[in-house]
Amino acid sequence: MSSSDSLKEKLSSEKKKIADSKTNSVIRTRFDKLSSQKFSSSGSLYGKSVLIKDNIAIKDEKLTCASNLLGSYKSPYNATVVDRLNDASAAITGQTNMDEFAMGSSSEHSRYGSVQNPYNLERVAGGSSGGSASAVAEGLCDIALGSDTGGSVRQPAAFCGIYGLKPTYGRVSRYGLVAHASSFDTIGILSRSIDDIVNTFSVISGFDSKDTTSSKEKVLSKKEYNKSALPKTVGILKKDALSEIDTEIAENYVVITDFLKENGVNLVEIDLPYLKYCIPTYYILTMAEASSNLSRFDGIRYGSREKSDNLDDTYIKSRSKGFGPEVKRRIMTGTYILSSGYYDAYYSKALKVRRLIKNEYNKLFSKLDCLFIPTTANPPFYLNNRLDDPMKMYLSDRFTVPCNLIGSPSLNVPGGTTNEGLPIGFQVIGDSFKEETLFHFAHSLSKAKLFE
Ligand code: GLN
């Protein structure tokens, strides 16, 4: 069979799997468009299928961010990551479900309904890139892109038992990603295979003049990323901190840290700097940024318009009808945070705390190659379990938001399952622009096959 025939066969089998899937993870497919696309067998992602989160622009495809407000919007251009995937001959097969405007930790805030976890359909897949994670775990594609502002790639990757990379802020162009909180947003990669993560990262990372925060920092070759090596010095949680996480997660954590110790890694017990201030700082800053970013969705510039006889009413009606409850909560809180009487008390103070947190992590990275911590404190929770309690939902991000506050790269690696068969995940966190440390570590762990 020729390589193009086997690609066709693979795509048609994935199309069927998507149609049969019960997880509600894929909201649109574009297999029809692929038949006219030219793929080069020398492309570095030739033969790989990729699903894209519905907040990353694909030319002439819908781009709704799972919101009613953008229900009929089509993107007139490609995100840079999409151009780069196409240039590498990846097959972009469709778009994935998510929390509206990437605000959430469970993929339940969506105009398309909740995403389900493929390991247990009564459980959440995590969020906000829950559709991407669930689709990858179920084998509906090889690779998916998601966005990670506070954990939205790593947490669903952990809940679905796959790899999920949040690159260093500025490493992957944000051009064409609908902004949630611009100083936090990153585009990340989800896959069952660490090799696919590395190859996709090599394709989509690197400077882009269309994104002013894109970094010119050198991107290494695929060969340099593909080595397998354990770091020399790793920061891990102190024993008493383990009592705050689920016991089965803590047990698997010890299995991995024991393996590291036996293999000569110098383990240093650390406190995560200012951990209890990370959630408030993150939510103050991201809500402020979101309230400003989402002002463009007013029914005039973007978004479906509710008819009215005056401009203010048009804005009010369009936004009231278009946005869901979580997005409204954040826009209102963010506007309050930025209002003149409260700006200094909340916004500027949170910026200062962000700087303090960053300074402390810099100190850690001056002594350690990376940190190794759980991605979540609990296995995937039941659907509808945290929807009515925003604070409980926000606290799900305890271990993931620090990396977004400091801009560091972080990779979720699968770490076995609970007795009930629910996935567990751990994060390797590195210093900025040191993704290779994460990849080398993950390659070594995957070879060790600790949970097979
Ligand atoms: N759960 C976090 C939030 O709701 C993270 C979102 C994200 O990373 N997009 O803000």
Side-chain angles (χ1 to χ4, degrees):
M1 198 168 17
S2 75
S3 64
S4 86
D5 284 343
S6 61
L7 177 60
K8 268 190 208 138
E9 205 166 276
K10 169 197 166 72
L11 294 178
S12 87
S13 121
E14 287 179 355
K15 185 177 172 184
K16 185 167 177 327
K17 275 196 212 160
I18 293 173
D20 293 342
S21 165
K22 303 262 182 299
T23 58
N24 196 24
S25 51
V26 180
I27 51 178
R28 254 165 259 129
T29 59
R30 54 193 303 281
F31 290 98
D32 50 335
K33 305 226 168 110
L34 297 179
S35 42
S36 57
Q37 193 171 329
K38 291 235 164 4
F39 296 105
S40 154
S41 55
S42 61
S44 59
L45 291 176
Y46 178 77
K48 298 290 178 187
S49 54
V50 186
L51 287 164
I52 308 274
K53 187 175 180 179
D54 193 25
N55 60 350
I56 299 173
I58 308 176
K59 190 173 186 306
D60 298 330
E61 301 290 354
K62 277 187 161 189
L63 177 64
T64 74
C65 300
S67 178
N68 282 326
L69 200 123
L70 289 177
S72 53
Y73 181 74
K74 277 194 177 174
S75 171
Y77 65 90
N78 274 337
T80 295
V81 289
V82 168
D83 277 337
R84 292 187 181 178
L85 288 174
N86 283 333
D87 291 345
S89 278
I92 298 179
T93 53
Q95 293 166 284
T96 55
N97 203 353
M98 57 184 279
D99 282 300
E100 185 179 2
F101 285 104
M103 296 176 186
S105 312
S106 64
S107 301
E108 294 173 288
H109 300 291
S110 163
R111 75 186 294 252
Y112 303 101
S114 306
V115 179
Q116 275 117 299
N117 192 307
Y119 283 82
N120 181 332
L121 295 176
E122 288 171 15
R123 306 266 179 168
V124 299
S128 63
S129 313
S132 293
S134 180
V136 166
E138 231 186 323
L140 309 182
C141 59
D142 296 307
I143 299 152
L145 293 190
S147 62
D148 193 314
T149 302
S152 280
V153 163
R154 290 159 287 151
Q155 184 254 24
F159 279 3
C160 293
I162 58 172
Y163 292 94
L165 172 72
K166 172 227 173 282
T168 309
Y169 181 81
R171 189 54 126 169
V172 173
S173 169
R174 289 183 295 120
Y175 180 75
L177 167 70
V178 178
H180 166 181
S182 314
S183 77
F184 293 78
D185 294 340
T186 56
I187 291 182
I189 309 163
L190 303 102
S191 177
R192 298 180 300 280
S193 127
I194 182 65
D195 289 335
D196 282 349
I197 295 268
V198 170
N199 293 346
T200 310
F201 177 73
S202 309
V203 166
I204 66 172
S205 60
F207 178 70
D208 176 22
S209 59
K210 293 183 192 144
D211 171 359
T212 51
T213 59
S214 164
S215 164
K216 290 192 171 147
E217 193 79 25
K218 190 167 170 258
V219 177
L220 300 184
S221 73
K222 222 164 29 178
K223 226 166 102 196
E224 285 165 294
Y225 285 133
N226 260 329
K227 292 175 195 156
S228 153
L230 287 172
K232 287 197 177 65
T233 315
V234 176
I236 59 165
L237 294 185
K238 290 186 172 145
K239 294 236 158 39
D240 55 348
L242 294 184
S243 62
E244 287 168 39
I245 61 177
D246 176 90
T247 48
E248 291 181 280
I249 296 183
E251 276 165 26
N252 287 11
Y253 185 67
V254 173
V255 170
I256 301 180
T257 50
D258 281 352
F259 161 81
L260 297 176
K261 198 153 57 183
E262 282 156 22
N263 284 277
V265 177
N266 178 19
L267 299 178
V268 181
E269 289 191 354
I270 53 146
D271 286 314
L272 291 171
Y274 297 111
L275 186 60
K276 73 174 181 187
Y277 298 110
C278 287
I279 287 284
T281 308
Y282 167 83
Y283 277 95
I284 288 172
L285 294 175
T286 55
M287 287 182 186
E289 292 190 25
S291 74
S292 156
N293 275 327
L294 270 62
S295 64
R296 74 193 68 174
F297 302 108
D298 55 11
I300 306 285
R301 285 171 293 175
Y302 291 94
S304 48
R305 186 177 311 164
E306 288 300 304
K307 288 215 171 59
S308 178
D309 48 15
N310 70 68
L311 189 60
D312 277 349
D313 244 24
T314 307
Y315 288 152
I316 293 168
K317 284 191 178 146
S318 306
R319 286 166 69 83
S320 302
K321 184 147 184 233
F323 289 133
E326 180 58 26
V327 176
K328 282 183 189 156
R329 179 167 24 247
R330 295 197 191 201
I331 292 174
M332 285 191 281
T333 316
T335 306
Y336 176 85
I337 287 164
L338 289 175
S339 61
S340 61
Y342 297 98
Y343 186 96
D344 286 338
Y346 297 113
Y347 186 72
S348 6
K349 201 177 238 168
L351 281 178
K352 288 178 192 150
V353 178
R354 186 180 196 181
R355 169 46 62 190
L356 287 178
I357 295 170
K358 171 90 181 137
N359 290 347
E360 287 307 305
Y361 273 94
N362 283 347
K363 282 187 206 154
L364 281 181
F365 288 124
S366 70
K367 289 182 263 166
L368 305 169
D369 295 315
C370 62
L371 310 180
F372 183 73
I373 64 169
T375 304
T376 64
N378 302 94
F381 45 92
Y382 283 103
L383 287 155
N384 295 316
N385 179 272
R386 298 192 184 179
L387 259 188
D388 298 334
D389 188 346
M391 280 312 291
K392 210 167 165 195
M393 191 72 98
Y394 298 165
L395 286 168
S396 330
D397 306 326
R398 198 149 59 103
F399 291 129
T400 52
V401 297
C403 292
N404 304 80
L405 285 162
I406 64 175
S408 273
S410 172
L411 174 69
N412 178 74
V413 294
T417 53
T418 64
N419 288 335
E420 254 188 274
L422 297 169
I424 293 174
F426 298 101
Q427 306 173 73
V428 189
I429 304 170
D431 201 0
S432 290
F433 301 104
K434 292 275 189 281
E435 278 85 2
E436 66 272 21
T437 311
L438 282 44
F439 298 152
H440 298 171
F441 191 170
H443 273 121
S444 307
L445 277 185
S446 91
K447 280 190 190 146
K449 300 195 190 315
L450 294 176
F451 299 103
E452 283 171 26

